[in-house]
mmCIF file of all heavy atoms in Angstrom:
data_model
loop_
_atom_site.group_PDB
_atom_site.id
_atom_site.type_symbol
_atom_site.label_atom_id
_atom_site.label_comp_id
_atom_site.label_asym_id
_atom_site.label_seq_id
_atom_site.Cartn_x
_atom_site.Cartn_y
_atom_site.Cartn_z
ATOM 1 N N ARG A 27 0.835 -1.191 0.000
ATOM 2 C CA ARG A 27 0.000 0.000 0.000
ATOM 3 C C ARG A 27 0.873 1.244 0.000
ATOM 4 O O ARG A 27 1.925 1.283 0.622
ATOM 5 C CB ARG A 27 -0.898 0.005 1.228
ATOM 6 C CG ARG A 27 -1.955 1.112 1.130
ATOM 7 C CD ARG A 27 -2.976 1.000 2.223
ATOM 8 N NE ARG A 27 -3.929 2.079 2.103
ATOM 9 C CZ ARG A 27 -4.888 2.306 2.973
ATOM 10 N NH1 ARG A 27 -5.010 1.530 4.013
ATOM 11 N NH2 ARG A 27 -5.711 3.298 2.812
ATOM 12 N N PRO A 28 0.432 2.305 -0.743
ATOM 13 C CA PRO A 28 1.203 3.536 -0.773
ATOM 14 C C PRO A 28 1.493 4.061 0.622
ATOM 15 O O PRO A 28 0.688 3.929 1.534
ATOM 16 C CB PRO A 28 0.300 4.500 -1.552
ATOM 17 C CG PRO A 28 -0.581 3.611 -2.373
ATOM 18 C CD PRO A 28 -0.781 2.381 -1.560
ATOM 19 N N SER A 29 2.682 4.651 0.822
ATOM 20 C CA SER A 29 3.085 5.133 2.136
ATOM 21 C C SER A 29 2.153 6.209 2.640
ATOM 22 O O SER A 29 1.574 6.975 1.882
ATOM 23 C CB SER A 29 4.508 5.687 2.039
ATOM 24 O OG SER A 29 4.555 6.768 1.138
ATOM 25 N N GLY A 30 2.002 6.252 3.953
ATOM 26 C CA GLY A 30 1.176 7.273 4.571
ATOM 27 C C GLY A 30 -0.307 7.019 4.429
ATOM 28 O O GLY A 30 -1.132 7.849 4.780
ATOM 29 N N GLY A 31 -0.701 5.824 3.869
ATOM 30 C CA GLY A 31 -2.106 5.507 3.718
ATOM 31 C C GLY A 31 -2.797 6.265 2.611
ATOM 32 O O GLY A 31 -3.996 6.211 2.486
ATOM 33 N N MET A 32 -2.026 6.990 1.793
ATOM 34 C CA MET A 32 -2.648 7.786 0.741
ATOM 35 C C MET A 32 -3.106 6.876 -0.392
ATOM 36 O O MET A 32 -2.353 6.041 -0.879
ATOM 37 C CB MET A 32 -1.659 8.821 0.216
ATOM 38 C CG MET A 32 -2.264 9.775 -0.797
ATOM 39 S SD MET A 32 -1.075 11.028 -1.345
ATOM 40 C CE MET A 32 0.005 10.032 -2.371
ATOM 41 N N SER A 33 -4.344 7.055 -0.822
ATOM 42 C CA SER A 33 -4.854 6.241 -1.922
ATOM 43 C C SER A 33 -4.308 6.754 -3.243
ATOM 44 O O SER A 33 -3.888 7.897 -3.357
ATOM 45 C CB SER A 33 -6.389 6.288 -1.941
ATOM 46 O OG SER A 33 -6.838 7.610 -2.172
ATOM 47 N N MET A 34 -4.326 5.893 -4.232
ATOM 48 C CA MET A 34 -3.773 6.216 -5.542
ATOM 49 C C MET A 34 -4.839 6.037 -6.617
ATOM 50 O O MET A 34 -5.878 5.430 -6.385
ATOM 51 C CB MET A 34 -2.570 5.315 -5.835
ATOM 52 C CG MET A 34 -1.499 5.344 -4.756
ATOM 53 S SD MET A 34 -0.712 6.960 -4.539
ATOM 54 C CE MET A 34 0.418 6.941 -5.930
ATOM 55 N N ASP A 35 -4.549 6.563 -7.791
ATOM 56 C CA ASP A 35 -5.443 6.428 -8.930
ATOM 57 C C ASP A 35 -5.034 5.208 -9.750
ATOM 58 O O ASP A 35 -3.850 5.004 -10.039
ATOM 59 C CB ASP A 35 -5.371 7.671 -9.822
ATOM 60 C CG ASP A 35 -5.788 8.946 -9.089
ATOM 61 O OD1 ASP A 35 -6.624 8.840 -8.166
ATOM 62 O OD2 ASP A 35 -5.284 10.023 -9.436
ATOM 63 N N HIS A 36 -6.015 4.396 -10.126
ATOM 64 C CA HIS A 36 -5.790 3.205 -10.944
ATOM 65 C C HIS A 36 -6.702 3.246 -12.158
ATOM 66 O O HIS A 36 -7.833 3.733 -12.077
ATOM 67 C CB HIS A 36 -6.105 1.926 -10.153
ATOM 68 C CG HIS A 36 -5.215 1.688 -8.979
ATOM 69 N ND1 HIS A 36 -4.269 0.683 -8.939
ATOM 70 C CD2 HIS A 36 -5.129 2.314 -7.770
ATOM 71 C CE1 HIS A 36 -3.651 0.697 -7.767
ATOM 72 N NE2 HIS A 36 -4.153 1.681 -7.040
ATOM 73 N N ALA A 37 -6.235 2.699 -13.272
ATOM 74 C CA ALA A 37 -7.045 2.577 -14.483
ATOM 75 C C ALA A 37 -7.321 1.110 -14.759
ATOM 76 O O ALA A 37 -6.404 0.271 -14.709
ATOM 77 C CB ALA A 37 -6.333 3.201 -15.676
ATOM 78 N N ILE A 38 -8.582 0.791 -15.025
ATOM 79 C CA ILE A 38 -8.992 -0.573 -15.358
ATOM 80 C C ILE A 38 -9.497 -0.567 -16.797
ATOM 81 O O ILE A 38 -10.472 0.122 -17.122
ATOM 82 C CB ILE A 38 -10.098 -1.075 -14.408
ATOM 83 C CG1 ILE A 38 -9.594 -1.087 -12.963
ATOM 84 C CG2 ILE A 38 -10.584 -2.458 -14.829
ATOM 85 C CD1 ILE A 38 -10.688 -1.350 -11.935
ATOM 86 N N VAL A 39 -8.821 -1.310 -17.656
ATOM 87 C CA VAL A 39 -9.177 -1.374 -19.071
ATOM 88 C C VAL A 39 -9.929 -2.677 -19.320
ATOM 89 O O VAL A 39 -9.399 -3.766 -19.074
ATOM 90 C CB VAL A 39 -7.915 -1.297 -19.950
ATOM 91 C CG1 VAL A 39 -8.274 -1.458 -21.428
ATOM 92 C CG2 VAL A 39 -7.186 0.026 -19.718
ATOM 93 N N LEU A 40 -11.160 -2.563 -19.779
ATOM 94 C CA LEU A 40 -12.009 -3.728 -20.021
ATOM 95 C C LEU A 40 -11.781 -4.221 -21.453
ATOM 96 O O LEU A 40 -12.065 -3.509 -22.418
ATOM 97 C CB LEU A 40 -13.482 -3.368 -19.813
ATOM 98 C CG LEU A 40 -13.837 -2.814 -18.426
ATOM 99 C CD1 LEU A 40 -15.323 -2.495 -18.351
ATOM 100 C CD2 LEU A 40 -13.444 -3.792 -17.325
ATOM 101 N N ALA A 41 -11.279 -5.442 -21.576
ATOM 102 C CA ALA A 41 -10.914 -5.978 -22.894
ATOM 103 C C ALA A 41 -11.530 -7.349 -23.111
ATOM 104 O O ALA A 41 -10.906 -8.238 -23.699
ATOM 105 C CB ALA A 41 -9.389 -6.050 -23.020
ATOM 106 N N GLY A 42 -12.762 -7.522 -22.666
ATOM 107 C CA GLY A 42 -13.374 -8.845 -22.742
ATOM 108 C C GLY A 42 -14.338 -9.046 -23.889
ATOM 109 O O GLY A 42 -14.870 -10.134 -24.080
ATOM 110 N N GLY A 43 -14.602 -8.000 -24.684
ATOM 111 C CA GLY A 43 -15.588 -8.125 -25.758
ATOM 112 C C GLY A 43 -15.062 -8.913 -26.943
ATOM 113 O O GLY A 43 -13.876 -9.231 -27.040
ATOM 114 N N SER A 44 -15.967 -9.220 -27.872
ATOM 115 C CA SER A 44 -15.580 -9.986 -29.060
ATOM 116 C C SER A 44 -15.610 -9.149 -30.330
ATOM 117 O O SER A 44 -14.823 -9.377 -31.250
ATOM 118 C CB SER A 44 -16.499 -11.204 -29.226
ATOM 119 O OG SER A 44 -17.855 -10.780 -29.321
ATOM 120 N N GLY A 45 -16.530 -8.173 -30.405
ATOM 121 C CA GLY A 45 -16.565 -7.306 -31.577
ATOM 122 C C GLY A 45 -17.011 -8.002 -32.844
ATOM 123 O O GLY A 45 -16.384 -7.874 -33.897
ATOM 124 N N LEU A 46 -18.131 -8.735 -32.763
ATOM 125 C CA LEU A 46 -18.601 -9.494 -33.922
ATOM 126 C C LEU A 46 -18.918 -8.603 -35.121
ATOM 127 O O LEU A 46 -18.867 -9.050 -36.267
ATOM 128 C CB LEU A 46 -19.855 -10.300 -33.555
ATOM 129 C CG LEU A 46 -19.667 -11.473 -32.583
ATOM 130 C CD1 LEU A 46 -20.992 -12.161 -32.323
ATOM 131 C CD2 LEU A 46 -18.647 -12.454 -33.114
ATOM 132 N N ARG A 47 -19.224 -7.335 -34.868
ATOM 133 C CA ARG A 47 -19.569 -6.435 -35.986
ATOM 134 C C ARG A 47 -18.355 -6.111 -36.859
ATOM 135 O O ARG A 47 -18.513 -5.473 -37.901
ATOM 136 C CB ARG A 47 -20.204 -5.145 -35.448
ATOM 137 C CG ARG A 47 -21.586 -5.354 -34.838
ATOM 138 C CD ARG A 47 -22.155 -4.064 -34.274
ATOM 139 N NE ARG A 47 -23.456 -4.265 -33.657
ATOM 140 C CZ ARG A 47 -23.634 -4.665 -32.404
ATOM 141 N NH1 ARG A 47 -22.578 -4.899 -31.646
ATOM 142 N NH2 ARG A 47 -24.850 -4.824 -31.903
ATOM 143 N N PHE A 48 -17.162 -6.527 -36.411
ATOM 144 C CA PHE A 48 -15.975 -6.292 -37.225
ATOM 145 C C PHE A 48 -15.481 -7.567 -37.914
ATOM 146 O O PHE A 48 -14.327 -7.653 -38.320
ATOM 147 C CB PHE A 48 -14.858 -5.659 -36.383
ATOM 148 C CG PHE A 48 -15.060 -4.182 -36.179
ATOM 149 C CD1 PHE A 48 -15.710 -3.712 -35.050
ATOM 150 C CD2 PHE A 48 -14.638 -3.275 -37.131
ATOM 151 C CE1 PHE A 48 -15.924 -2.349 -34.863
ATOM 152 C CE2 PHE A 48 -14.848 -1.919 -36.964
ATOM 153 C CZ PHE A 48 -15.493 -1.452 -35.830
ATOM 154 N N TRP A 49 -16.379 -8.565 -38.041
ATOM 155 C CA TRP A 49 -16.056 -9.709 -38.882
ATOM 156 C C TRP A 49 -15.919 -9.194 -40.315
ATOM 157 O O TRP A 49 -16.607 -8.273 -40.727
ATOM 158 C CB TRP A 49 -17.181 -10.764 -38.789
ATOM 159 C CG TRP A 49 -16.861 -12.017 -39.542
ATOM 160 C CD1 TRP A 49 -16.184 -13.100 -39.072
ATOM 161 C CD2 TRP A 49 -17.176 -12.294 -40.906
ATOM 162 N NE1 TRP A 49 -16.046 -14.030 -40.052
ATOM 163 C CE2 TRP A 49 -16.650 -13.561 -41.203
ATOM 164 C CE3 TRP A 49 -17.839 -11.609 -41.919
ATOM 165 C CZ2 TRP A 49 -16.773 -14.153 -42.455
ATOM 166 C CZ3 TRP A 49 -17.967 -12.180 -43.173
ATOM 167 C CH2 TRP A 49 -17.434 -13.437 -43.431
ATOM 168 N N PRO A 50 -14.964 -9.711 -41.128
ATOM 169 C CA PRO A 50 -14.146 -10.902 -40.905
ATOM 170 C C PRO A 50 -12.779 -10.636 -40.258
ATOM 171 O O PRO A 50 -12.008 -11.575 -40.102
ATOM 172 C CB PRO A 50 -13.947 -11.421 -42.330
ATOM 173 C CG PRO A 50 -13.924 -10.192 -43.171
ATOM 174 C CD PRO A 50 -14.905 -9.252 -42.533
ATOM 175 N N GLU A 51 -12.471 -9.384 -39.895
ATOM 176 C CA GLU A 51 -11.188 -9.157 -39.214
ATOM 177 C C GLU A 51 -11.248 -9.644 -37.773
ATOM 178 O O GLU A 51 -10.281 -10.200 -37.255
ATOM 179 C CB GLU A 51 -10.804 -7.675 -39.284
ATOM 180 C CG GLU A 51 -10.424 -7.225 -40.687
ATOM 181 C CD GLU A 51 -9.739 -5.873 -40.714
ATOM 182 O OE1 GLU A 51 -9.091 -5.502 -39.706
ATOM 183 O OE2 GLU A 51 -9.857 -5.182 -41.744
ATOM 184 N N SER A 52 -12.379 -9.416 -37.112
ATOM 185 C CA SER A 52 -12.557 -9.922 -35.750
ATOM 186 C C SER A 52 -13.118 -11.340 -35.833
ATOM 187 O O SER A 52 -14.167 -11.559 -36.438
ATOM 188 C CB SER A 52 -13.505 -9.014 -34.968
ATOM 189 O OG SER A 52 -13.723 -9.526 -33.677
ATOM 190 N N ARG A 53 -12.419 -12.272 -35.225
ATOM 191 C CA ARG A 53 -12.840 -13.679 -35.264
ATOM 192 C C ARG A 53 -12.737 -14.279 -33.866
ATOM 193 O O ARG A 53 -12.280 -13.632 -32.934
ATOM 194 C CB ARG A 53 -11.963 -14.465 -36.238
ATOM 195 C CG ARG A 53 -11.834 -13.798 -37.609
ATOM 196 C CD ARG A 53 -12.100 -14.739 -38.725
ATOM 197 N NE ARG A 53 -11.784 -14.146 -40.013
ATOM 198 C CZ ARG A 53 -11.605 -14.839 -41.118
ATOM 199 N NH1 ARG A 53 -11.684 -16.161 -41.082
ATOM 200 N NH2 ARG A 53 -11.342 -14.239 -42.262
ATOM 201 N N SER A 54 -13.101 -15.537 -33.763
ATOM 202 C CA SER A 54 -13.098 -16.189 -32.448
ATOM 203 C C SER A 54 -11.691 -16.245 -31.859
ATOM 204 O O SER A 54 -11.526 -16.296 -30.642
ATOM 205 C CB SER A 54 -13.683 -17.598 -32.547
ATOM 206 O OG SER A 54 -12.975 -18.363 -33.500
ATOM 207 N N ASN A 55 -10.666 -16.229 -32.713
ATOM 208 C CA ASN A 55 -9.287 -16.295 -32.208
ATOM 209 C C ASN A 55 -8.614 -14.923 -32.142
ATOM 210 O O ASN A 55 -7.439 -14.825 -31.822
ATOM 211 C CB ASN A 55 -8.447 -17.242 -33.072
ATOM 212 C CG ASN A 55 -8.312 -16.756 -34.503
ATOM 213 O OD1 ASN A 55 -8.938 -15.769 -34.897
ATOM 214 N ND2 ASN A 55 -7.513 -17.456 -35.292
ATOM 215 N N ARG A 56 -9.340 -13.849 -32.481
ATOM 216 C CA ARG A 56 -8.773 -12.509 -32.375
ATOM 217 C C ARG A 56 -9.919 -11.500 -32.253
ATOM 218 O O ARG A 56 -10.610 -11.210 -33.219
ATOM 219 C CB ARG A 56 -7.895 -12.166 -33.576
ATOM 220 C CG ARG A 56 -7.165 -10.833 -33.391
ATOM 221 C CD ARG A 56 -6.170 -10.557 -34.491
ATOM 222 N NE ARG A 56 -6.822 -10.391 -35.783
ATOM 223 C CZ ARG A 56 -6.228 -9.815 -36.841
ATOM 224 N NH1 ARG A 56 -4.983 -9.392 -36.732
ATOM 225 N NH2 ARG A 56 -6.864 -9.705 -37.980
ATOM 226 N N SER A 57 -10.105 -10.963 -31.063
ATOM 227 C CA SER A 57 -11.209 -10.056 -30.798
ATOM 228 C C SER A 57 -10.896 -8.644 -31.283
ATOM 229 O O SER A 57 -9.743 -8.304 -31.565
ATOM 230 C CB SER A 57 -11.516 -10.027 -29.293
ATOM 231 O OG SER A 57 -11.845 -11.323 -28.833
ATOM 232 N N LYS A 58 -11.923 -7.825 -31.353
ATOM 233 C CA LYS A 58 -11.826 -6.471 -31.911
ATOM 234 C C LYS A 58 -10.711 -5.644 -31.286
ATOM 235 O O LYS A 58 -9.997 -4.914 -31.987
ATOM 236 C CB LYS A 58 -13.167 -5.772 -31.720
ATOM 237 C CG LYS A 58 -13.171 -4.276 -31.995
ATOM 238 C CD LYS A 58 -14.469 -3.651 -31.491
ATOM 239 C CE LYS A 58 -14.404 -2.139 -31.512
ATOM 240 N NZ LYS A 58 -15.591 -1.531 -30.864
ATOM 241 N N GLN A 59 -10.548 -5.735 -29.963
ATOM 242 C CA GLN A 59 -9.597 -4.854 -29.279
ATOM 243 C C GLN A 59 -8.143 -5.141 -29.648
ATOM 244 O O GLN A 59 -7.258 -4.357 -29.328
ATOM 245 C CB GLN A 59 -9.772 -4.927 -27.759
ATOM 246 C CG GLN A 59 -9.717 -6.310 -27.172
ATOM 247 C CD GLN A 59 -11.078 -6.973 -27.133
ATOM 248 O OE1 GLN A 59 -11.978 -6.634 -27.885
ATOM 249 N NE2 GLN A 59 -11.246 -7.927 -26.223
ATOM 250 N N PHE A 60 -7.899 -6.253 -30.342
ATOM 251 C CA PHE A 60 -6.536 -6.594 -30.762
ATOM 252 C C PHE A 60 -6.300 -6.291 -32.243
ATOM 253 O O PHE A 60 -5.254 -6.625 -32.787
ATOM 254 C CB PHE A 60 -6.247 -8.060 -30.454
ATOM 255 C CG PHE A 60 -6.509 -8.413 -29.012
ATOM 256 C CD1 PHE A 60 -7.563 -9.232 -28.667
ATOM 257 C CD2 PHE A 60 -5.731 -7.866 -28.000
ATOM 258 C CE1 PHE A 60 -7.825 -9.527 -27.334
ATOM 259 C CE2 PHE A 60 -5.989 -8.164 -26.670
ATOM 260 C CZ PHE A 60 -7.038 -8.992 -26.335
ATOM 261 N N LEU A 61 -7.287 -5.658 -32.890
ATOM 262 C CA LEU A 61 -7.153 -5.286 -34.301
ATOM 263 C C LEU A 61 -6.530 -3.902 -34.431
ATOM 264 O O LEU A 61 -6.698 -3.044 -33.571
ATOM 265 C CB LEU A 61 -8.528 -5.267 -34.973
ATOM 266 C CG LEU A 61 -9.344 -6.563 -34.959
ATOM 267 C CD1 LEU A 61 -10.691 -6.315 -35.630
ATOM 268 C CD2 LEU A 61 -8.589 -7.696 -35.652
ATOM 269 N N ASN A 62 -5.842 -3.688 -35.547
ATOM 270 C CA ASN A 62 -5.342 -2.363 -35.902
ATOM 271 C C ASN A 62 -6.383 -1.732 -36.828
ATOM 272 O O ASN A 62 -6.313 -1.873 -38.049
ATOM 273 C CB ASN A 62 -3.985 -2.463 -36.589
ATOM 274 C CG ASN A 62 -3.439 -1.105 -37.007
ATOM 275 O OD1 ASN A 62 -4.041 -0.065 -36.730
ATOM 276 N ND2 ASN A 62 -2.318 -1.112 -37.695
ATOM 277 N N LEU A 63 -7.354 -1.045 -36.253
ATOM 278 C CA LEU A 63 -8.451 -0.494 -37.036
ATOM 279 C C LEU A 63 -8.153 0.903 -37.555
ATOM 280 O O LEU A 63 -8.589 1.278 -38.639
ATOM 281 C CB LEU A 63 -9.735 -0.471 -36.207
ATOM 282 C CG LEU A 63 -10.313 -1.845 -35.841
ATOM 283 C CD1 LEU A 63 -11.544 -1.684 -34.958
ATOM 284 C CD2 LEU A 63 -10.660 -2.639 -37.091
#
């Protein structure tokens, strides 16, 4: 934990989607968030 009990800022990036609307580049083995769009 940060010293002095001071809280910190954190970023949570949600990368669980599939992006079916970007077929045929987005597929079951490569979701939208891993494409170079």
Side-chain angles (χ1 to χ4, degrees):
R27 190 171 179 185
S29 61
M32 185 178 72
S33 63
M34 306 297 281
D35 299 330
H36 296 251
I38 299 171
V39 176
L40 302 180
S44 58
L46 291 180
R47 291 178 182 85
F48 281 94
W49 185 88
E51 290 194 28
S52 178
R53 310 229 188 162
S54 56
N55 63 354
R56 187 173 65 163
S57 301
K58 169 192 169 187
Q59 54 271 23
F60 306 111
L61 301 178
N62 179 4
L63 293 177

